[in-house]
């Protein structure tokens, strides 16, 4: 069987996930609407993971994906969330996803990994299946991410001649035995806008395309 790219893998993961989702909500949230403005949400997410896996070293977590998404509402209200998908602390043959929203909500769920094509794809929850896609959280530098978003936003505005834009999502992932990269999408800041473009960066802050 041929492993698919992580994006494709996670598409099928959503279709086949059968584990229950657990949600914890804080009474108040001091997080900004755009939780990427500072490192607080990132740190709170790791604290949440650590509360479930106290013996799992932050720097030794085996990540499969770091994802961020944002949305602009009809009143120009802004909301955002981020998630970490990683090898479960007490079971190498399991993948879990932990999420945090700007309102302080925390949740986690199990993820099933599928290999193969759209027709013959099948679940393969084994460490050796997804090991080539894993990477260390030590390669993530949020300052580099913010810089890439800022410069991509400038590129988008220049190319499209729009005045307001924002990062609607980004993903850091390893396509398989490669260095993980940052792929992001810049979108026009307007409710229900569809104009957007994608950009790709190295995690050292170098523009790829």
């Amino acid at each position: 069987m041929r492993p698919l790219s992580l994006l494709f893998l996670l598409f099928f993961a959503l279709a086949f996930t059968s584990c229950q989702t657990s949600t914890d909500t804080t009474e108040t949230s001091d997080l900004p609407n755009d939780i990427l403005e500072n490192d607080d949400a990132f740190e709170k997410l790791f604290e949440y993971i650590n509360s479930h896996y106290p013996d799992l070293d932050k720097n030794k977590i085996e990540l499969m994906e770091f994802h961020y998404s944002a949305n602009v509402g009809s009143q120009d209200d802004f909301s955002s969330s981020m998630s970490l998908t990683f090898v479960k602390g007490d079971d190498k043959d399991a993948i879990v996803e932990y999420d945090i929203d700007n309102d302080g909500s925390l949740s986690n769920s199990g993820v099933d990994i599928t290999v193969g094509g759209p027709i013959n794809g099948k679940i393969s929850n084994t460490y050796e299946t997804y090991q080539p896609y894993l990477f260390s959280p030590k390669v993530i530098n949020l300052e580099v991410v913010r810089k890439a978003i800022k410069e991509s936003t400038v590129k988008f505005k220049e190319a499209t001649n729009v005045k307001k834009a924002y990062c609607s999502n980004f993903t850091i992932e390893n396509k398989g035995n490669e260095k993980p990269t940052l792929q992001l999408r810049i979108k026009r800041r307007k409710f229900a806008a569809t104009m957007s473009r994608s950009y790709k960066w190295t995690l050292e802050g170098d523009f790829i395309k």
Side-chain angles (χ1 to χ4, degrees):
M1 295 180 293
R2 180 176 62 86
L4 305 178
S5 71
L6 177 57
L7 182 61
F8 207 33
L9 282 168
L10 292 180
F11 172 80
F12 283 101
L14 293 175
F16 290 106
T17 298
S18 59
C19 299
Q20 291 184 337
T21 299
S22 172
T23 303
D24 296 321
T25 304
T26 56
E27 293 182 1
T28 59
S29 173
D30 55 358
L31 299 176
N33 289 338
D34 182 0
I35 56 177
L36 201 61
E37 284 184 8
N38 54 45
D39 294 356
D40 291 353
F42 195 63
E43 294 300 325
K44 287 179 183 292
L45 187 54
F46 271 109
E47 289 175 7
Y48 181 49
I49 293 171
N50 186 250
S51 70
H52 290 181
Y53 306 106
D55 297 327
L56 187 59
D57 189 306
K58 174 182 177 180
N59 292 321
K60 293 183 179 179
I61 291 176
E62 295 179 285
L63 290 181
M64 179 173 274
E65 182 186 78
F66 174 38
H67 181 73
Y68 162 92
S69 63
N71 184 64
V72 172
S74 59
Q75 304 299 317
D76 200 41
D77 46 314
F78 197 93
S79 60
S80 59
S81 65
M82 66 172 59
S83 65
L84 289 169
T85 305
F86 59 96
V87 177
K88 190 175 180 180
D90 53 2
D91 184 357
K92 284 282 189 178
D93 292 327
I95 293 289
V96 290
E97 180 181 294
Y98 276 59
D99 304 81
I100 186 169
D101 297 333
N102 65 280
D103 64 1
S105 296
L106 294 156
S107 63
N108 68 86
S109 61
V111 178
D112 288 329
I113 299 302
T114 300
V115 296
I119 298 176
N120 64 348
K122 67 178 183 178
I123 294 174
S124 181
N125 289 335
T126 62
Y127 182 77
E128 63 181 18
T129 295
Y130 44 76
Q131 193 277 332
Y133 300 94
L134 304 176
F135 61 96
S136 169
K138 290 189 290 186
V139 303
I140 298 174
N141 184 327
L142 292 184
E143 285 303 318
V144 172
V145 173
R146 295 183 188 107
K147 178 176 177 289
I149 290 174
K150 182 178 180 180
E151 294 187 12
S152 296
T153 302
V154 172
K155 291 177 183 293
F156 177 79
K157 289 181 178 179
E158 291 176 346
T160 60
N161 201 32
V162 302
K163 294 182 178 180
K164 293 184 178 182
Y166 71 103
C167 177
S168 61
N169 67 77
F170 75 69
T171 300
I172 293 177
E173 63 180 351
N174 166 11
K175 293 292 187 179
N177 289 319
E178 299 177 359
K179 292 181 66 175
T181 56
L182 167 65
Q183 298 184 75
L184 58 90
R185 180 165 292 276
I186 303 300
K187 190 174 184 179
R188 182 180 184 184
R189 181 155 180 161
K190 184 179 180 180
F191 178 62
T194 58
M195 184 185 294
S196 66
R197 292 193 177 190
S198 60
Y199 300 89
K200 187 175 182 179
W201 296 74
T202 69
L203 295 188
E204 290 73 39
D206 298 317
F207 180 65
I208 299 175
K209 63 179 181 179

